[in-house]
Amino acid sequence: MWLMLLDPTEPQPAMRRPAKRVAIVDDSRSIRSWLRHVLQQDKRLEVVGEAGDAETARKVIKETQPDVLTLDVQMPGMSGLVFLERLMTLHPMPVVMVSASTSSGSDTAIQALSLGAVDCIVKPGQSVSKLSAKDIARRVYSAACSQYQPLLKRSALQPVAPLEAEEKDGAIVLIGASTGGVTALETVLATMATDGPPTVIVQHMPATFLISFAKLLDRKLPHDVGLVDDRVPLRRGQVRLAPEVGRQTELVRRNGLWQGHLRDDAERGAHCPSVDALFCSAAPYGHDVIAAILTGLGRDGTEGMRLLHRSGAHTIGQDADSSVVYGMPKAAWEAGAIVEQLPIENIGEAINSAVAAHHRRRSFAR
């Protein structure tokens, strides 16, 4: 009966969404205290529990039922990596890894992302700016809102037969990804032709993590995987990741060959490396571009995808159901910049088909 007291013609106050529940797992009491302070500055988050080891973490998860877990990569007893693998098997949930910015820490963090962790943040140094702290809280909130995606069986992801493709004035594949991109990129690249046109990727990730990610992909895939080198021609079969924060990766064409160009980013925009910077640089040659935008928070890549679409590129977006965070592909789709929107497991084959169609058009034109 109390519902009748509300007048539907009168504007009602907006319902405040309940805060996302966070549990912090880290063997360092000071890191736990710091994370709690950072996360509770965001009213969308509520820290409901802490743990210093895997055994306590299991109890905290069971008692508090958090929406997201922050997990230390290196812990005493059971490592964070082993704990994550068991968690994803028995009680899958969004996890943000907390890693040291060392080579070994980055390697382990990338393995964690490959096992299904949503994101990874770097442990603080002596001081953390308000902007960095705000970004950490934003990423943890984004992870809490993400949808868990079970890992595809790797045995089903076999490389297809090589495509015939020219290097001079040939096609290029561009991919942009952010949150959830590690497993998404593994899935896409595993079904792409091993001798297809060069592929250049922007994945939002700290520089040390990018180095570890490139090494991981090079071990797992039959492709030649590495980081973009400045002014070095890109070849068939190569997969190159935009290498570092502070320099934007763009593309140029010289003597019919694609080359990466690393441009100093004095402005240090919201994203560096930026999907938009990569995509926009290739727009003058859109008729030779196949571009895909995958899971991620925000709008990076939307403007570049719009320019590529207008200049004749074949543009692909990951669909909502298979995205960990349906942000970047959604923005590009709503902007009318996407030709086809597909589940992640179909995007690699769609890229192969677009490359084959490009090759047929070029052969016919001769």
Side-chain angles (χ1 to χ4, degrees):
M1 292 295 294
W2 60 271
L3 289 174
M4 300 301 293
L5 298 176
L6 296 176
D7 183 351
T9 64
E10 291 293 325
Q12 303 299 325
M15 295 291 289
R16 183 176 176 180
R17 294 181 180 178
K20 294 295 184 180
R21 300 162 62 82
V22 187
I24 299 171
V25 182
D26 199 295
D27 68 315
S28 167
R29 183 174 295 179
S30 61
I31 292 295
R32 294 200 305 271
S33 176
W34 173 81
L35 261 178
R36 175 182 282 273
H37 173 73
V38 167
L39 298 179
Q40 290 190 156
Q41 300 306 304
D42 191 324
K43 294 182 179 179
R44 300 173 300 174
L45 298 171
E46 176 189 5
V47 178
V48 295
E50 296 181 15
D53 55 60
E55 187 62 34
T56 308
R58 280 195 288 264
K59 296 176 182 177
V60 168
I61 292 171
K62 185 176 181 180
E63 291 171 1
T64 65
Q65 294 295 304
D67 298 304
V68 63
L69 187 76
T70 70
L71 178 62
D72 186 12
V73 167
Q74 296 174 330
M75 294 193 302
M78 185 185 296
S79 72
L81 208 60
V82 174
F83 180 77
L84 174 70
E85 191 167 14
R86 295 184 182 180
L87 182 68
M88 287 306 184
T89 302
L90 302 173
H91 186 74
M93 62 181 296
V95 175
V96 175
M97 303 303 293
V98 182
S99 166
S101 59
T102 61
S103 177
S104 60
S106 297
D107 288 346
T108 308
I110 292 301
Q111 292 179 52
L113 291 168
S114 185
L115 286 171
V118 174
D119 203 352
C120 186
I121 59 178
V122 180
K123 286 188 176 181
Q126 292 183 345
S127 63
V128 179
S129 68
K130 288 185 178 180
L131 186 62
S132 296
K134 187 176 181 180
D135 180 63
I136 288 170
R138 179 185 65 87
R139 287 163 63 182
V140 171
Y141 176 76
S142 172
C145 297
S146 68
Q147 50 185 6
Y148 171 74
Q149 297 294 340
L151 297 178
L152 298 179
K153 292 181 179 179
R154 299 302 179 197
S155 58
L157 303 175
Q158 298 296 327
V160 297
L163 295 172
E164 294 295 328
E166 290 184 324
E167 289 183 353
K168 276 204 166 186
D169 299 320
I172 193 165
V173 177
L174 308 180
I175 304 176
S178 187
T179 310
V182 167
T183 53
L185 285 167
E186 286 187 47
T187 300
V188 171
L189 293 171
T191 51
M192 284 175 55
T194 57
D195 194 30
T199 298
V200 182
I201 298 168
V202 166
Q203 164 68 51
H204 295 160
M205 188 179 287
T208 53
F209 293 176
L210 283 166
I211 295 170
S212 297
F213 186 34
K215 291 178 179 177
L216 175 73
L217 290 176
D218 196 49
R219 290 195 302 268
K220 282 190 171 186
L221 300 171
H223 305 75
D224 170 12
V225 184
L227 302 178
V228 172
D229 290 317
D230 193 29
R231 307 293 182 178
V232 174
L234 298 164
R235 306 288 182 180
R236 286 187 300 175
Q238 288 185 335
V239 175
R240 294 292 182 261
L241 277 72
E244 60 189 280
V245 175
R247 291 203 288 178
Q248 296 288 9
T249 295
E250 299 178 342
L251 292 171
V252 295
R253 228 180 194 179
R254 286 192 170 85
N255 300 320
L257 295 179
W258 293 100
Q259 293 183 16
H261 170 48
L262 303 182
R263 174 179 60 81
D264 288 338
D265 184 20
E267 297 180 359
R268 300 291 174 92
H271 296 291
C272 185
S274 161
V275 181
D276 271 328
L278 176 68
F279 284 8
C280 288
S281 69
Y285 310 97
H287 54 281
D288 290 329
V289 175
I290 296 94
I293 193 159
L294 309 182
T295 175
L297 179 68
R299 298 180 56 85
D300 187 27
T302 297
E303 181 58 29
M305 194 67 105
R306 185 189 289 118
L307 291 176
L308 285 172
H309 179 59
R310 287 177 181 172
S311 61
H314 187 90
T315 55
I316 302 167
Q318 186 174 349
D319 69 359
D321 288 343
S322 68
S323 294
V324 172
V325 178
Y326 186 55
M328 287 162 50
K330 178 183 180 183
W333 174 259
E334 291 179 345
I338 301 294
V339 172
E340 53 181 340
Q341 190 168 224
L342 300 167
I344 191 64
E345 60 268 23
N346 296 343
I347 290 179
E349 187 54 49
I351 290 172
N352 289 336
S353 298
V355 170
H358 176 274
H359 182 63
R360 288 194 297 270
R361 288 197 304 273
R362 285 185 54 81
S363 299
F364 181 77
R366 293 194 192 95

